[in-house]
Amino acid sequence: MRAIRSLGSLLLLAVLPAFQGGDRPGRPDRPDRDPPSRVGRLSYLSGSVSFRPGDLDDWTDATINYPLHNGDHLWTDNGARAEITVGSSAFRLAPQSAFGFLALDDRTVQVRLSQGSLNVRVRDLGENESLEIDTPSGAVSLLRSGVYRVDVDTTGDTTSVTVRRGEAEVTASGSAFPVHSEQTALVVGGNSPTYDVRDAIRADAWEDWCASRDRRWEDARSARYVSRDVIGYEDLDDNGEWRTTPDYGPVWVPRAVATGWAPYRYGHWAWVEPWGWTWIDDAPWGFAPFHYGRWVYVGDGWAWVPGRVVARPVYAPALVVFVGGRNWSLAIGAGPGVAWFPLAPEEPYYPAYHVSNTYIRNVNVTNVNVTNINVTNVNVTNINYRNRRERDAVTVVSRETFVGSRPVNQGVIVVPRDRLDQARVVGFAARVTPTRQSILAQPSIVQARRPPEIVTNREVVVRRQPSPAPVPFAAREQALAAHPGRPLDDATIRTLRTSTPNASARPLVRPAAPAPARGPGPEPRAQAPAPALRPAREGLPPSRPAPTTQAPPQEQRPAPPARHKPAERPVPSPERQRAEPQRQQPERRPDAGRRSEKDRKAERDTTK
């Protein structure tokens, strides 16, 4: 049965005329311009947690399952906690913590922690991947899988880095030093920055809670059926059961759902760049089944089909098909509406956002049993979608409910079957222009708890320069209205960035190892050196000069490999470091980096 359906999909993709859905803007095959294949899921909330998107100045209550990306910020108030998952890694925030994403793509995760406590569990870290935590006192590079803790005090002057398992490197004031497993490093900034490395601090109740969350991942049975990079797989065990079907193989069936429950009905819509209209489900398990895989009606209810297991599954904002059209209305007096239904297995997904053909193949490979997906010869309006006629599959709401991020299940409009049959498929995105409520994912803008202004405006030290902050929504609003439902392309974003004041500013960062300032000539201009990082006591391993802070990647491009190692050769064991400290690196003179202009001139003359 599955073989017949696979053959049918292959024939369908091969013989249909050129793409006519009008939903996916064409462009050359440029994978380097594609959006990231992963996001940061807001996977746990407790207490008062506030959220500010990167393109707005408003703070609002955070929403479970919101997909975080570059520029987004979180604040956990008194007694609050939050968890963000990125692929197989988890970031957990203690109370009174200010967190934000400076960069997030397929190879780079760069976050800012301007106050509070952050626990990080890294399951896998590839050779070409970089994970950096930037604090007011220094930049912390996590070099391998493990468990880490970073604390920033309320003044922003002191950063503590604890490595439970793994290895880290701290960069500050032009110097870098390693932190090994079961060690805690302390960096104190100010006019005379110092560092210290000691035995790891004792774990507290906060870390015990983080460890209990880790065990959910380790013990999850769902890892037998999906990749551990499927964001949210750890929530499936407690909320449903796996079954094996003859047509689709392993499927997951949710438990304790409402009568008449259907996929993409209990939640709300939000506008999230660069993907556009994005589904945010209300259920605590409602991430993986709505951004990966497909849904199918089996027996007497809905089941999620995860598809084939791959190493790096590709996130999608919502795997649905929208129906409607210019001549289709809901009913007399009801006004225009928005309607959709979930994709079924072996039905291809074609994004409305700007992507390459390679991206389309990758986002479909786990769920369409066709290895050679023809991405140009498809008419999405002519596909015989399996779920369109299933019971309760099509969900219809008013435009106000859709664009205002209102709860969908509370605004469902009952439409007669014959009216639904008259609606035509319009593509994979609703042609509706977003508003501020759409970005905040809240039906109304309410005053939310926010971090103190001194924390919000506190600079952090970076080892790599992040890209400029997102272009404000106010500057993009008119361009978005010109093409409803379609995110802006790279050229339009570059134009808006050029014409928008302060849109190219880097978000409150300063380099850990600044490049020398240059004068009008070819030689660097003399400048006052920054205070050098000094050991706080005798007997500490010496720091090493840090490389110049890396330049940011070009607009909209995935960041290049940026994993930094403490040394080019293998890192010696702690015992060998204590026995032979002089062989690691010559001891720095107290006046190192403070040469006079006379010394610099003599060195230049010698070079000539």
Side-chain angles (χ1 to χ4, degrees):
M1 186 72 172
R2 294 186 71 184
I4 295 175
R5 284 177 175 159
S6 298
L7 179 60
S9 297
L10 177 59
L11 294 174
L12 175 68
L13 293 172
V15 304
L16 284 177
F19 180 87
Q20 299 175 9
D23 203 32
R24 182 180 65 86
R27 77 178 186 196
D29 196 43
R30 290 291 303 276
D32 58 340
R33 298 287 185 179
D34 288 335
S37 66
R38 60 182 181 175
V39 296
R41 174 206 179 194
L42 191 50
S43 52
Y44 178 87
L45 297 173
S46 175
S48 178
V49 181
S50 303
F51 162 68
R52 178 173 71 84
D55 48 2
L56 290 178
D57 292 330
D58 301 297
W59 286 88
T60 189
D61 292 335
T63 304
I64 193 73
N65 291 325
Y66 192 98
L68 302 170
H69 61 300
N70 291 0
D72 290 345
H73 290 77
L74 293 173
W75 167 253
T76 53
D77 210 63
N78 290 325
R81 292 177 178 178
E83 178 186 77
I84 307 101
T85 52
V86 180
S88 60
S89 298
F91 299 78
R92 301 184 179 102
L93 297 173
Q96 295 283 293
S97 297
F99 171 96
F101 278 109
L102 294 174
L104 175 56
D105 56 43
D106 290 348
R107 288 180 286 180
T108 303
V109 179
Q110 184 176 8
V111 305
R112 59 178 289 132
L113 182 70
S114 51
Q115 179 180 296
S117 298
L118 174 66
N119 178 282
V120 185
R121 170 67 164 91
V122 183
R123 174 179 291 279
D124 295 305
L125 190 64
E127 287 296 324
N128 294 328
E129 294 182 357
S130 170
L131 204 164
E132 178 175 316
I133 303 167
D134 298 324
T135 76
S137 303
V140 184
S141 300
L142 308 187
L143 303 181
R144 61 188 61 174
S145 59
V147 179
Y148 304 85
R149 172 174 177 165
V150 180
D151 298 271
V152 177
D153 71 346
T154 55
T155 67
D157 291 335
T158 302
T159 295
S160 171
V161 180
T162 300
V163 179
R164 298 298 180 195
R165 297 194 307 275
E167 185 174 4
E169 185 174 69
V170 181
T171 307
S173 298
S175 299
F177 64 93
V179 188
H180 303 294
S181 182
E182 295 300 332
Q183 289 184 336
T184 293
L186 204 66
V187 181
V188 180
N191 295 327
S192 183
T194 62
Y195 72 96
D196 196 357
V197 181
R198 298 181 179 272
D199 291 339
I201 60 175
R202 179 175 299 179
D204 55 13
W206 154 248
E207 287 192 68
D208 291 341
W209 177 81
C210 294
S212 69
R213 297 288 295 178
D214 285 336
R215 286 192 291 273
R216 296 177 66 250
W217 289 33
E218 300 295 341
D219 300 337
R221 301 185 307 278
S222 295
R224 305 173 190 171
Y225 307 102
V226 300
S227 166
R228 288 188 182 270
D229 276 326
V230 169
I231 301 173
Y233 79 91
E234 69 278 6
D235 292 320
L236 300 178
D237 285 5
D238 295 336
N239 297 282
E241 59 183 16
W242 289 94
R243 302 174 185 173
T244 300
T245 63
D247 290 341
Y248 307 106
V251 302
W252 180 83
V253 180
R255 287 194 299 263
V257 295
T259 302
W261 183 92
Y264 300 98
R265 182 168 296 175
Y266 287 79
H268 55 280
W269 290 92
W271 182 267
V272 181
E273 293 279 359
W275 299 274
W277 288 115
T278 299
W279 177 255
I280 307 209
D281 203 78
D282 290 341
W285 51 266
F287 197 89
F290 299 98
H291 301 290
Y292 309 91
R294 302 290 191 269
W295 283 90
V296 66
Y297 202 87
V298 178
D300 58 353
W302 290 96
W304 178 59
V305 184
R308 184 157 52 92
V309 176
V310 296
R312 178 60 69 85
V314 179
Y315 161 88
L319 294 159
V320 302
V321 181
F322 287 88
V323 297
R326 292 183 177 179
N327 298 323
W328 185 77
S329 61
L330 300 177
I332 297 176
V338 185
W340 62 89
F341 60 86
L343 282 169
E346 301 169 14
E347 295 175 354
Y349 167 69
Y350 288 83
Y353 45 96
H354 301 262
V355 296
S356 69
N357 292 339
T358 298
Y359 180 96
I360 296 175
R361 292 187 179 95
N362 291 339
V363 78
N364 281 291
V365 70
T366 61
N367 305 291
V368 179
N369 292 322
V370 180
T371 56
N372 184 23
I373 298 176
N374 191 326
V375 296
T376 57
N377 295 329
V378 173
N379 184 337
V380 300
T381 65
N382 287 347
I383 295 177
N384 185 21
Y385 292 102
R386 193 173 316 156
N387 286 334
R388 180 170 184 176
R389 300 192 64 84
E390 290 290 357
R391 183 172 58 188
D392 296 324
V394 181
T395 300
V396 185
V397 297
S398 68
R399 287 197 173 218
E400 290 74 18
T401 294
F402 186 92
V403 75
S405 289
R406 299 176 185 175
V408 165
N409 65 300
Q410 297 178 18
V412 171
I413 299 174
V414 178
V415 178
R417 182 76 253 178
D418 61 336
R419 295 290 297 149
L420 291 178
D421 292 342
Q422 294 172 12
R424 66 179 181 86
V425 171
V426 297
F428 295 93
R431 291 169 183 163
V432 180
T433 302
T435 65
R436 296 174 72 87
Q437 283 83 2
S438 309
I439 296 175
L440 292 169
Q442 297 285 357
S444 60
I445 299 177
V446 296
Q447 191 68 25
R449 299 289 183 91
R450 60 177 62 200
E453 187 173 355
I454 190 173
V455 176
T456 303
N457 297 327
R458 186 174 286 162
E459 284 188 336
V460 295
V461 176
V462 298
R463 185 156 185 173
R464 65 175 302 117
Q465 282 284 357
S467 297
V471 175
F473 174 70
R476 292 187 287 111
E477 195 167 9
Q478 185 175 355
L480 288 170
H483 302 282
R486 179 179 297 178
L488 303 183
D489 58 34
D490 298 340
T492 303
I493 292 176
R494 285 195 296 270
T495 300
L496 292 174
R497 189 179 298 283
T498 302
S499 60
T500 303
N502 300 322
S504 296
R506 298 274 176 334
L508 296 172
V509 300
R510 68 180 187 275
R518 305 198 69 86
E523 299 295 338
R525 183 172 67 248
Q527 61 179 359
L533 186 66
R534 301 178 298 103
R537 57 186 174 85
E538 294 183 358
L540 292 175
S543 63
R544 66 179 182 87
T548 301
T549 299
Q550 295 186 11
Q554 295 186 20
E555 183 80 29
Q556 297 293 325
R557 293 187 181 223
R563 185 182 176 193
H564 304 287
K565 297 183 179 180
E568 294 182 359
R569 61 174 179 264
V571 179
S573 64
E575 293 78 9
R576 184 174 178 182
Q577 291 179 21
R578 289 191 289 268
E580 301 178 328
Q582 71 279 4
R583 294 181 60 181
Q584 297 178 44
Q585 182 174 330
E587 183 178 357
R588 297 187 66 186
R589 302 189 312 272
D591 60 346
R594 301 185 182 182
R595 296 175 299 162
S596 65
E597 179 59 27
K598 181 178 178 181
D599 294 334
R600 294 190 180 92
K601 185 176 184 303
E603 185 179 65
R604 291 197 296 269
D605 293 339
T606 301
T607 303
K608 293 178 182 179

